[in-house]
Amino acid sequence: MFWIPRTRELIGLTTNHEFGYWLALKPEKLVYGRPDDAYRCGYLDVMWDVHARQNKYPARPIHVTLEETIGAAIKLAGENQGAFRCKSAIAVESPYGGF
């Protein structure tokens, strides 16, 4: 879940890198939100829409309230419970026994 409430004082440009990383790696797991008055989020909005179109994902909304964004993230997690799990190729013995 990305909630990006940017202002002129708190621009948070490293978020662009993190957002792009996860958009390329696991876009089906992302929920994106930002207030209507968020500063300089136009590029992220465009990338969100373009990526969905290029990869033929269903269009997903850009949420404009924190509550809406959290609700969408909880809903997505519930719909995909267990679907994104993966088992490591390396077995690591637990100090508590078993693997």
Side-chain angles (χ1 to χ4, degrees):
M1 179 187 98
F2 280 86
W3 173 250
I4 307 171
R6 284 192 177 150
T7 65
R8 288 180 182 270
E9 295 80 27
L10 299 170
I11 196 162
L13 292 179
T14 56
T15 304
N16 288 0
H17 173 77
E18 295 161 350
F19 183 82
Y21 175 84
W22 285 105
L23 190 61
L25 186 66
K26 298 277 185 186
E28 67 277 5
K29 293 176 73 173
L30 289 186
V31 172
Y32 170 47
R34 47 109 184 111
D36 279 333
D37 63 348
Y39 181 69
R40 297 181 67 181
C41 282
Y43 178 74
L44 298 177
D45 294 353
V46 169
M47 290 309 300
W48 182 255
D49 292 334
V50 167
H51 192 272
R53 279 196 306 265
Q54 286 179 344
N55 294 290
K56 298 180 172 67
Y57 292 114
R60 293 181 290 168
I62 297 171
H63 303 284
V64 295
T65 68
L66 180 57
E67 292 80 10
E68 187 181 310
T69 308
I70 292 170
I74 291 170
K75 182 179 180 205
L76 181 65
E79 291 170 353
N80 295 296
Q81 191 171 10
F84 300 126
R85 290 185 185 162
C86 63
K87 188 171 183 177
S88 175
I90 300 169
V92 178
E93 189 172 338
S94 168
Y96 305 105
F99 289 93

